[in-house]
């Protein structure tokens, strides 16, 4: 392991230096317990611990002292490397040299053995007095983007500029080009921890209600359920494409006897539109279930699921939401204990009364959806609601018409902060009706024969919904751009990293 | 709603018939509580309930009585439609006609209102006396495969043939062609419920140990980490391929500050080999984590994770394992409380002592792995063990060599019943070493520049492993063919359904 230069005594080399392997440090730090930075508190005072993290900031004070901020995920701790430590002044110099980028050697994991002590009158609760310090991995001296720059809020940038200060603003594209650095900001650390919780609540609530988690194939023969742009590929000589949704296969799983199923998996759309809410690859949260009496049983699941999810995020992810809020300020989502449901007709009426021109049997455009969201929030005090019973004409051919009036359908959309997030419906499980509805929309029935035939071997009445994981997080946290909630986003232009 | 023919009185139509919509039945069955078939027991006797399920078997006894076996998932209940019910003899005739395939109308969900009563001297604990009966969905009269035929074990087929009986044996390909029917067998219902539990234990154990669940992109620029066959496609004019593993992106997530991550998602291999253990698309369970002292920390995670998983399956999925066992008999997996770890060298020695010719610095072939599995089971009493410290030459270029002897690597494989199931290792996080190891193996370093560069912005020492969800279930249950544990398998020839 040993150090880089030849200037230290053996004793000093045991105290600091570059470590060639982590195994070599094992003996050197024997007897000192590993600690997580997040778990260090005033009660740790006096304990001898080992920690490892990225050197987030390094600052030398004269020749005898260096300060090192160590980061693990979202937690940081200040480490003091003083000339009176085991390695003497040389260790302080070694620490100061860890960062050649003057402010950040962000990803140079270091190992400290120190004594957490009650903190000096700063914000931090604990400070580590470093007795040994070894660097186990060095980054290039100058990172293409700085973590501190990437972590700056728009507000801070504006404030600094107003004060005539020079600050670096890292644009969205550059962040994504260097995503591995960008992900280290507190906001990004929080966003993807929140995302993980969203998925986990989704799964746990559904499992507790008797749903079975499944995995359907993403490689599909032909071209999905017809319609929109798909990614095509050659599959050992057969024409194939990437699934635009697990629609058919989740329905087949229900017909295959599983009754209630869910899936979490990638969904592929060869979108050409570069918007704030579309990706070419996203994570779909899908549900499909046999129905007893009515399609609103699917709405009941959505209601229980999302109220539980929002509650969980507010109750258990306070720290993460705060970290996101610091960089991207947002208002907490307003939602009711029982989710508001409105018929589509009533939504149309509200818009018309507010002077918005909308076609009662047509679809709502993004602007009208936004406006309706405002109206609903003002009247009912919620930013999360369901719009039910859409006109049949604006829904896919496999949507079940309302028995009492087939101009309307057993379908619904769910909105968060005025943006559509979930689309759901009862499906047509009767092959002849399915074929007729396809034909009425000008779809070549032969091209969807596989889909129609799947229901000839028996199908219970069923329905379901789909929602994008990235959209849930984006809209719950008011993030405004879906690229912020995709770990490595894929949009019409971006295929890397 | 009403019935099909015109022969019934209005009163009779309220009692039985084809229901046009489920909503229409709501009023007719008002006041009768829904029940799950699985929850019906002797204590249900006398209660008026509604159930719905597939008509698994229908049998008429004379003109006055019909017996109907109703199935929900894995549970069944016998229903008696007698001439003294609300619909009289006509209802019994209606019931008898539900199945035109003489034995099975498997997927014609029906709704009964009846009174569970203590069972007659049969195997079933409960029987429903039907008072109303409506069919909500009809299948084609003759299904291409019968659920009872698909459910027959090899043993039963052999026994019947020996006795000179005619029984239908449904081959693997035909099952898969009609997967939506095949999935209804008790064994298949159980297999995918077990699979769901395997995934859930994987996730919950990792979440409890501070791992973050992530989703990495499946659409990749260029051609993955080089090497094996990939599915290629056009991405808006850019050359792209489907990810063969989340290897690089899960490593980037660790370097991006998440420390410990896992992913459950599809993995694509354009395999040309048609074996019992390969699929072109499977579900990967992936883990990657920063290391403290040694790569065996990854082995520790595997140990805790899989022992917890196997315990959970044995403790909580007894009914499912039994259902699988009935069709596909298997011996319970032998595993130890603490998983056996052996160095590769020791495995080689055991094989050589047993007279098997193996190259100490080469890879084990499938046959040698199987043999070693037998030797280990006989000596140590376990069919689940880890083989550590593989020769560097047989591992990928990104595997960290052992610091004390670079001919060996910080890597391991895990075996279940003599088949490799998990591959894991510490990764090289030092860009220069990574490039050198690639070059030494004849890989064009320029072609993997993205991979190598990813570590230049700082990377903690880290390692991880990957395992296929389908293989875990296949090997735990000794199923012998991976197509049995994939809901809709994709192999070199199969792209449907």
């Amino acid at each position: 392991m040993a150090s880089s230069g030849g200037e230290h005594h053996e004793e000093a080399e045991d105290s600091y230096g570059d470590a060639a392997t982590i195994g070599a440090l094992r003996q050197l730090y024997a007897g000192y317990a590993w600690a997580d930075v997040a778990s260090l508190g005033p009660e740790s005072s006096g304990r001898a611990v080992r920690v490892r993290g990225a050197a987030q900031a390094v600052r030398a004070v004269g020749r005898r002292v260096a300060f090192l901020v160590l980061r693990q995920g979202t937690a940081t701790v200040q480490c003091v490397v003083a000339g009176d430590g085991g390695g003497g002044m040389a260790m302080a110099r070694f620490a100061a040299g860890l960062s050649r980028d003057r402010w950040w050697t962000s990803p140079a994991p270091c190992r400290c053995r120190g004594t957490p002590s009650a903190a000096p009158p700063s914000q931090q609760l604990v400070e580590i007095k470093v007795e040994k310090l070894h660097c186990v991995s060095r980054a290039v001296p100058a990172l293409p983007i700085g973590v501190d720059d990437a972590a700056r809020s728009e507000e801070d940038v504006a404030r600094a500029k107003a004060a005539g200060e020079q600050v670096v603003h890292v644009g969205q594209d550059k962040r994504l080009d260097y995503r591995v650095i960008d992900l280290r900001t507190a906001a990004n650390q929080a966003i993807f921890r929140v995302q993980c919780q969203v998925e986990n609540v989704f799964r746990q609530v559904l499992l507790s209600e008797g749903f079975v988690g499944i995995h359907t194939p993403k490689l599909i023969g032909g071209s999905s359920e017809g319609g929109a742009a798909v990614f095509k590929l050659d599959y050992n000589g057969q024409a194939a494409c990437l699934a635009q949704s697990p629609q058919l296969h989740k329905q087949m799983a229900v017909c295959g006897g599983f009754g209630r199923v869910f899936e979490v998996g990638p969904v592929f759309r060869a979108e050409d539109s570069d918007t704030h809410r579309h990706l070419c690859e996203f994570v779909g949260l899908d549900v499909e279930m046999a129905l007893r009496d009515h399609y609103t049983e699917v709405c009941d699941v959505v209601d229980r699921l999302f109220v539980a999810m929002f509650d969980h995020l507010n109750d258990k992810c306070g720290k993460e939401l705060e970290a996101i809020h610091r960089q991207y300020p947002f208002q907490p989502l307003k939602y009711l204990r029982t989710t508001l449901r409105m018929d589509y007709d009533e939504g149309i009426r509200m818009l018309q009364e507010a002077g918005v021109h909308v076609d009662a049997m047509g679809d709502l455009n993004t602007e009208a959806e936004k406006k309706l969201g405002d109206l609903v929030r003002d009247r009912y005090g919620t930013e999360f609601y369901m719009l039910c019973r859409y006109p049949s004409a604006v829904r896919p051919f496999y949507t079940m018409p309302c028995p009492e009036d087939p101009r309307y359908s057993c379908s619904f959309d769910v909105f968060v902060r005025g943006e559509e997030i979930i689309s759901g419906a009862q499906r047509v499980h009767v092959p002849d009706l399915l074929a007729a509805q396809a034909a009425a929309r000008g779809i070549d029935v032969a091209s969807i024969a596989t889909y129609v035939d799947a229901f000839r071997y028996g199908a219970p009445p069923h329905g379901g919904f789909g929602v994008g994981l990235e959209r849930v997080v984006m809209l719950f946290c008011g993030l405004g751009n879906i690229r912020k909630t995709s770990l490595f986003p894929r949009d019409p232009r971006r295929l890397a990293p």
Side-chain angles (χ1 to χ4, degrees), chain A:
Chain A
M1 27 140 290
S3 71
S4 40
E7 57 172 316
H8 321 299
H9 302 291
E10 262 194 25
E11 195 186 326
E13 288 179 356
D14 279 357
S15 298
Y16 67 93
D18 281 333
T21 70
I22 46 172
L25 289 173
R26 210 174 190 172
Q27 210 181 339
L28 211 55
Y29 285 76
Y32 299 101
W34 280 101
D36 287 329
V37 170
S39 71
L40 295 174
E43 75 290 349
S44 315
S45 182
R47 280 181 51 216
V49 295
R50 285 195 280 173
V51 293
R52 184 186 293 156
Q56 170 159 301
V58 183
R59 183 166 54 95
V61 177
R63 296 194 58 208
R64 304 186 63 90
V65 180
F67 292 96
L68 195 63
V69 177
L70 213 70
R71 187 186 67 235
Q72 268 182 356
T74 52
T76 57
V77 64
Q78 172 158 282
C79 307
V80 188
V81 189
D84 57 353
M89 279 169 28
M91 182 165 79
R93 278 206 305 282
F94 172 78
L98 273 181
S99 169
R100 303 205 201 137
D101 172 336
R102 279 178 50 97
W103 290 97
W104 300 85
T105 56
S106 176
C110 299
R111 180 199 287 260
C112 307
R113 202 287 256 142
T115 310
S117 57
S122 82
Q123 295 268 322
Q124 290 181 275
L125 288 172
V126 118
E127 186 176 74
I128 288 181
K129 189 166 184 318
V130 176
E131 292 171 17
K132 298 190 182 195
L133 175 66
H134 289 89
C135 176
V136 297
S137 170
R138 282 184 183 254
V140 290
L143 297 181
I145 62 172
V147 178
D148 54 346
D149 293 330
R152 204 166 279 130
S153 72
E154 302 272 348
E155 247 178 357
D156 282 348
V157 173
R159 197 179 300 131
K161 281 189 177 158
E165 290 169 35
Q166 288 272 339
V167 290
V168 177
H169 176 67
V170 189
Q172 178 75 17
D173 256 1
K174 194 157 190 187
R175 282 168 192 279
L176 294 180
D177 287 343
Y178 299 103
R179 190 63 160 164
V180 69
I181 303 172
D182 181 44
L183 286 174
R184 296 168 190 161
T185 65
N188 276 335
Q189 288 289 314
I191 284 170
F192 293 98
R193 284 176 164 83
V194 165
Q195 189 172 90
C196 171
Q197 290 302 310
V198 167
E199 176 177 351
N200 200 42
V201 173
F202 178 82
R203 300 176 57 90
Q204 297 312 312
V205 169
L206 292 173
L207 286 173
S208 76
E209 298 201 5
F211 285 79
V212 181
I214 60 168
H215 292 278
T216 65
K218 305 309 156 201
L219 290 166
I220 304 289
S223 61
S224 233
E225 320 103 66
V230 296
F231 289 109
K232 290 175 184 148
L233 68 150
D234 172 76
Y235 185 91
N236 297 322
Q238 297 177 64
C241 71
L242 295 179
Q244 289 179 290
S245 85
Q247 189 61 38
L248 171 57
H249 288 93
K250 69 178 179 172
Q251 291 188 252
M252 283 172 78
V254 170
C255 299
F258 292 101
R260 327 184 94 193
V261 298
F262 70 88
E263 176 165 18
V264 178
V267 169
F268 304 93
R269 307 268 166 96
E271 304 268 7
D272 203 19
S273 55
D274 213 349
T275 79
H276 79 284
R277 52 187 265 113
H278 291 95
L279 289 170
C280 293
E281 177 180 347
F282 63 89
V283 179
L285 307 177
D286 268 276
V287 163
E288 201 71 22
M289 57 191 267
L291 298 175
R292 288 177 157 178
D293 295 313
H294 205 263
Y295 82 91
T296 49
E297 290 157 26
V298 183
C299 301
D300 297 342
V301 172
V302 170
D303 184 7
R304 287 192 296 271
L305 188 53
F306 280 81
V307 171
M309 187 188 291
F310 297 155
D311 283 353
H312 178 91
L313 295 181
N314 286 327
D315 292 351
K316 309 283 184 192
C317 302
K319 234 178 53 186
E320 284 80 8
L321 296 177
E322 211 180 286
I324 298 169
H325 187 270
R326 267 198 302 276
Q327 181 162 4
Y328 306 113
F330 66 95
Q331 291 296 316
L333 182 73
K334 287 191 173 77
Y335 62 99
L336 305 174
R337 300 314 305 160
T338 302
T339 305
L340 173 72
R341 294 180 202 184
M342 267 177 23
D343 272 358
Y344 190 79
D345 273 354
E346 194 185 334
I348 292 289
R349 256 197 313 278
M350 282 177 73
L351 283 167
Q352 285 171 339
E353 281 166 16
V356 182
H357 176 76
V358 279
D359 174 4
M361 299 306 280
D363 213 350
L364 295 179
N365 62 24
T366 311
E367 211 179 327
E369 287 177 348
K370 200 88 193 163
K371 178 67 184 171
L372 185 55
D374 291 344
L375 295 171
V376 167
R377 186 195 55 222
D378 294 348
R379 183 180 298 179
Y380 298 104
T382 181
E383 294 169 308
F384 179 72
Y385 75 100
M386 305 186 198
L387 205 55
C388 300
R389 215 171 170 267
Y390 270 66
S392 293
V394 304
R395 307 297 284 200
F397 71 93
Y398 51 76
T399 310
M400 183 65 93
C402 287
E404 71 283 2
D405 183 350
R407 292 175 308 150
Y408 292 90
S409 62
C410 295
S411 65
F412 65 94
D413 273 5
V414 184
F415 294 85
V416 179
R417 299 187 197 267
E419 290 193 37
E420 183 258 310
I421 190 172
I422 300 175
S423 210
Q426 181 177 351
R427 326 297 183 181
V428 177
H429 64 278
V430 184
D432 295 346
L433 179 58
L434 196 55
Q437 292 204 165
R441 279 168 173 77
I443 296 170
D444 174 15
V445 177
S447 75
I448 53 159
T450 314
Y451 187 75
V452 177
D453 287 348
F455 304 107
R456 297 201 190 276
Y457 310 132
H462 64 283
F465 67 90
V467 50
L469 176 59
E470 294 86 349
R471 280 197 190 167
V472 176
V473 179
M474 171 179 81
L475 289 170
F476 184 81
C477 298
L479 283 166
N481 191 329
I482 195 114
R483 290 162 189 78
K484 287 197 171 71
T485 56
S486 174
L487 200 60
F488 297 100
R490 296 291 182 252
D491 67 24
R493 292 168 301 113
R494 179 172 292 280
L495 185 56

